[in-house]
Amino acid sequence: MAAGARDGLDDESLQELRSQATRLLHKEDWAGYIGVCTRIVDAAATDRRILCSALAHRADGRARLGDLSGALADCDAALAADPAHPAALLAKGAVLRGLGRYALAADCFRAALPAGSGADDVRELLEQCRRLDAQARSGAVDLSDWVLAGFSGKCPDLAEHVGPVEVRRSAHGGRGVFAVKGVEAGGTLMISKAVAIGRGVIPDAADGGEKMVVWKDFVDKVLDAAEKCPRTASLIYTLSTGEEQEDELDVPDMALFKQEPEELGDGVSEAGGQGALDVDRIMKVLDVNSLTEDAPSANLLGNSGIINCGVGLWILPALINHSCHPNTRRTHVGDHAIVHASRDIKAGEEVTFPYFDVLMPVGKRREAARAWGFECRCDRCRFEDEDTVLRQEIARSENELVNGGEDMGALVVRLEDKMRKSVVKERRKAFLRASFWSAYSALFDNGRLLRKWGRRVPSEAVIAVSVASAVGGCESVLKAMLRGANDGNSCGNRLEVEDKVVRIGRATYGKVVKRQAMRALFRLRLEGDNSKSF
């Protein structure tokens, strides 16, 4: 009798099924692959060696299709029959790694570590899981080697991380994310992997048709992810559709975001049978909560200059409210969004980032906020709306800026004179300089205007430091600071200036590189092709 005959499979039949599985594997026909593996599992029920191998391969196919609970069930069935089966251990480790269960994944890889060939690959997976587990706990990211290599090679893997934050009722209505302890500028608050991202190369920024293709691709990916994973669907349902009353919005338990739900098979949330997706609700959620990849940072740190249109859904960051005086910023690395403090944040302070360009006058920001469906009442907007002394000058300057006044230098000098005569506090000066940043930039970019007006305004580096205090990190402000420092027209001695440059760099990108790699990061970003459309 042939080896597999007692299980309903002779050697010839088994070989044919294995050949079918190989062909389907190469075609990436995962449904067909799972079907063939199932036939082998059913036929080889009492042959432990064949059974365990088929279960491990079926687990891989199920994982590829997003059926993580099924994949883990197959792995556990194989390991129940043979606790040391290497393929089952590797398959389970891969599933747990994808779920962010890095310590458990490391245990699987350690147990699967072979003595001979292949050991290096498994050892690399083990070390990677150890590193990601430490990162998931600490939020510490170090991309120095990648930056110094000019972003060559694969984007580094990141672990999801939830730092010292929680969701609470916001004083401005609805919900918001709050710091539960103080965080210094550059510190990581969260690292979130996108549910899905739609990306495309849009040659013309006005090409609505191309953008609709990107949007449709993105929506399809979100619906697919929600259909495959009940936990993902339940997280999406925690987000606002924009139609609820603010007091109707539940405050979700932070355990949802820390991957601490009830577990099935060492790490997959069953989330209790979800039934059919509420597609209409999900579409409304996406309209309100989708975020664009923070363009220059995404281009630099995630997409290597080839993608210029990206939209995604990051669940916990979507709960962060807008402010024109934000205290955080997103840096995009691959499919992950790193939310870091762009200035020092006090315990109990609401975490905010800008939904749109806040280097604009208050009138333009008001229009942008209305397009998002809200009215910004941050301290900066309230000051510019309500200050009786400066209101007329703000309105006049905004009108000149919007209508393209011929001499931006004159506008800047008049604004600086008005602030000096009105004894405006430094914080409010920073707000106004941020609002008229384009005028200051036009002055500093124009040698003729700078020769005419330069002596009557603070240096470019001084203005950059001031604006950074109002809006946190920003590439254009960082570039001005670097240029001002290099021109020697700065604000302090060399060490003081270098410290200010690093602080603005930390506010812009977070603590993603060590200090020695910071210059390379600046050079790659700020000396690149600034004509690119992001």
Side-chain angles (χ1 to χ4, degrees), residues 431-450:
F431 289 165
L432 291 176
R433 287 164 174 165
S435 295
F436 294 97
W437 174 249
S438 60
Y440 283 90
S441 295
L443 169 61
F444 291 121
D445 286 342
N446 188 307
R448 180 182 60 81
L449 291 180
L450 199 56

Side-chain angles (χ1 to χ4, degrees), residues 352-366:
T352 58
F353 56 51
Y355 287 9
F356 47 80
D357 181 10
V358 293
L359 292 174
M360 300 189 295
V362 65
K364 286 292 184 182
R365 300 201 313 274
R366 195 181 297 119

Side-chain angles (χ1 to χ4, degrees), residues 137-191:
R137 297 174 188 278
S138 68
V141 176
D142 185 4
L143 304 177
S144 298
D145 291 343
W146 192 44
V147 169
L148 291 171
F151 304 107
S152 62
K154 182 177 176 288
C155 178
D157 289 319
L158 297 179
E160 290 199 274
H161 165 75
V162 179
V165 297
E166 66 181 20
V167 182
R168 301 176 187 168
R169 295 287 177 192
S170 173
H172 300 293
R175 307 167 298 187
V177 176
F178 290 78
V180 296
K181 67 178 183 180
V183 181
E184 67 176 9
T188 300
L189 290 161
M190 63 186 75
I191 305 172

Side-chain angles (χ1 to χ4, degrees), residues 66 222-237 269-279 281-282:
V222 171
L223 294 175
D224 183 58
E227 188 172 32
K228 288 177 177 176
C229 180
R231 180 174 181 269
T232 297
S234 66
L235 285 171
I236 294 173
Y237 293 148
S269 169
E270 192 170 25
Q274 103 189 49
L277 289 180
D278 188 341
V279 175
R281 180 177 176 184
I282 291 176

Side-chain angles (χ1 to χ4, degrees), residues 303-501:
N303 305 321
S304 302
I306 61 172
I307 306 293
N308 59 21
C309 177
V311 61
L313 180 65
W314 293 267
I315 300 289
L316 186 54
L319 289 162
I320 297 175
N321 288 322
H322 166 87
S323 173
C324 296
H325 179 215
N327 55 23
T328 69
R329 178 180 168 89
R330 304 189 312 275
T331 296
H332 290 265
V333 180
D335 289 350
H336 287 79
I338 305 173
V339 178
H340 65 268
S342 58
R343 54 183 172 83
D344 292 346
I345 301 176
K346 298 177 182 178
E349 184 178 350
E350 182 169 2
V351 172
T352 58
F353 56 51
Y355 287 9
F356 47 80
D357 181 10
V358 293
L359 292 174
M360 300 189 295
V362 65
K364 286 292 184 182
R365 300 201 313 274
R366 195 181 297 119
E367 291 176 9
R370 286 179 186 143
W372 275 82
F374 68 90
E375 179 182 2
C376 184
R377 297 297 297 164
C378 71
D379 49 356
R380 179 181 166 197
C381 286
R382 289 200 306 272
F383 156 62
E384 292 179 323
D385 274 336
E386 300 167 3
D387 189 278
T388 55
V389 176
L390 291 171
R391 183 186 299 158
Q392 187 174 356
E393 180 59 43
I394 292 171
R396 177 186 174 187
S397 297
E398 180 169 356
N399 184 61
E400 287 185 19
L401 189 65
V402 170
N403 292 323
E406 293 183 3
D407 191 340
M408 290 294 103
L411 185 159
V412 167
V413 168
R414 192 180 67 243
L415 185 63
E416 289 288 330
D417 287 345
K418 185 69 174 180
M419 288 190 292
R420 184 174 59 255
K421 291 175 182 177
S422 302
V423 196
V424 177
K425 294 181 179 179
E426 286 302 319
R427 184 166 179 265
R428 294 187 168 186
K429 284 183 181 179
F431 289 165
L432 291 176
R433 287 164 174 165
S435 295
F436 294 97
W437 174 249
S438 60
Y440 283 90
S441 295
L443 169 61
F444 291 121
D445 286 342
N446 188 307
R448 180 182 60 81
L449 291 180
L450 199 56
R451 286 190 295 273
K452 181 179 180 181
W453 300 107
R455 294 183 180 180
R456 296 182 58 180
V457 298
S459 71
E460 185 172 22
V462 168
I463 296 296
V465 170
S466 177
V467 173
S469 71
V471 301
C474 173
E475 278 89 353
S476 62
V477 176
L478 177 58
K479 181 176 181 180
M481 181 66 198
L482 287 167
R483 183 170 61 180
N486 289 335
D487 290 344
N489 185 22
S490 54
C491 45
N493 61 43
R494 185 182 62 80
L495 292 178
E496 289 175 336
V497 172
E498 182 178 344
D499 183 61
K500 289 171 182 175
V501 168

